[in-house]
Amino acid sequence: MKSAAALPRLEGDAGALFRWTLRAGVAACFIGHGMLGVLRTAAWTSYFAVVGIGRETALTLMPLVGVFDIAMALAVLFRPARGLVLYMVAWCVWTALLRPLAGESGWEAVERAGNYGAPLALFFLFAPGSGVQAWSTARFRPTLDASLGRTAGWILRITTALLLFGHGMLNWMVQKPMFITQYKLIGLPGAAVEPLVGVFECLLAVAVLVRPNRSLLLGVLAWKLVTEALCPLAGSPCWVFIEHGGSYAAPLALFFLVARFRPVFSIGHAPAV
């Protein structure tokens, strides 16, 4: 039997770094998405059409949606609140689902797991409570104990696995033409290498689920940064790279948890009491 004091905890500067990693990732996602709205991204018109909004009206509404997203990003940086972060989770799930609803592959929604998984993990870091004040104030738990660390860890673990698996399936099974173009930019035979990249990413996803050690997670972070950087190199706005902030924050935040709570990340582990 271990006493509560003997169990690992994440607090102080380490706890603040963990929270700020998630806050920065969520903010980057909303800033990137917001700027794409301000720029009136033409592809978005098909997503507005899902709810019956025509092209011209969609182009008019996009900057308003974008400005609101940026406002949410600033709020999560300077005055986060439980209600705000829960809204962010719901909004990111909805915008991810719009892609398959508009006729795109369902893996597009899975690949964006970082967008909704990072704010979900952040949501659990707030101090519990009921009433308007508990939902509208910035009250984080001062300490992340082993039990909460396991909960947040599994959210980030599943999030990281999903975003890798979704991106992997878009390479392997869907074989998006955009990816072929990106690989050709760095001198690779796009059509030949795309399914191989997909299989590799799916294997990475399985590895994260089975045993997310620190070296693996740093490798995943580096992989995501490099592969997402191909988007602006291929001509997409730089905001597309920034919009994937949750995909970088999830493995990095999980790295901090594994470093502190390593035993609780074994498959089948039950936290000691």
Side-chain angles (χ1 to χ4, degrees), residues 181-269:
T181 301
Q182 292 174 3
Y183 300 143
K184 285 182 176 178
L185 280 175
I186 55 175
L188 296 175
V193 79
E194 187 177 20
L196 299 178
V197 171
V199 171
F200 173 70
E201 291 186 319
C202 290
L203 291 175
L204 274 183
V206 173
V208 168
L209 282 178
V210 173
R211 187 172 293 277
N213 62 63
R214 289 177 290 176
S215 297
L216 172 65
L217 293 170
L218 287 180
V220 168
L221 174 61
W223 175 260
K224 289 305 297 179
L225 288 169
V226 170
T227 54
E228 295 298 340
L230 294 176
C231 291
L233 289 178
S236 298
C238 65
W239 303 110
V240 174
F241 175 80
I242 295 171
E243 183 196 12
H244 286 86
S247 296
Y248 320 133
L252 181 57
L254 184 56
F255 168 86
F256 293 135
L257 283 184
V258 171
R260 186 70 182 111
F261 300 109
R262 190 181 309 175
V264 308
F265 288 96
S266 300
I267 293 289
H269 171 81

Side-chain angles (χ1 to χ4, degrees), residues 23-43:
R23 289 168 70 177
V26 173
C29 172
F30 273 72
I31 289 172
H33 193 266
M35 287 303 300
L36 291 173
V38 171
L39 294 174
R40 292 185 170 93
T41 302

Side-chain angles (χ1 to χ4, degrees), residues 118-161:
L120 182 61
L122 182 62
F123 174 78
F124 278 91
L125 303 186
F126 284 90
S130 58
V132 174
Q133 185 175 7
W135 285 93
S136 60
T137 55
R139 293 180 58 247
F140 286 109
R141 300 171 189 257
T143 299
L144 197 68
D145 60 20
S147 176
L148 186 57
R150 182 172 172 81
T151 299
W154 268 106
I155 292 171
L156 293 171
R157 191 171 181 172
I158 293 171
T159 294
T160 303

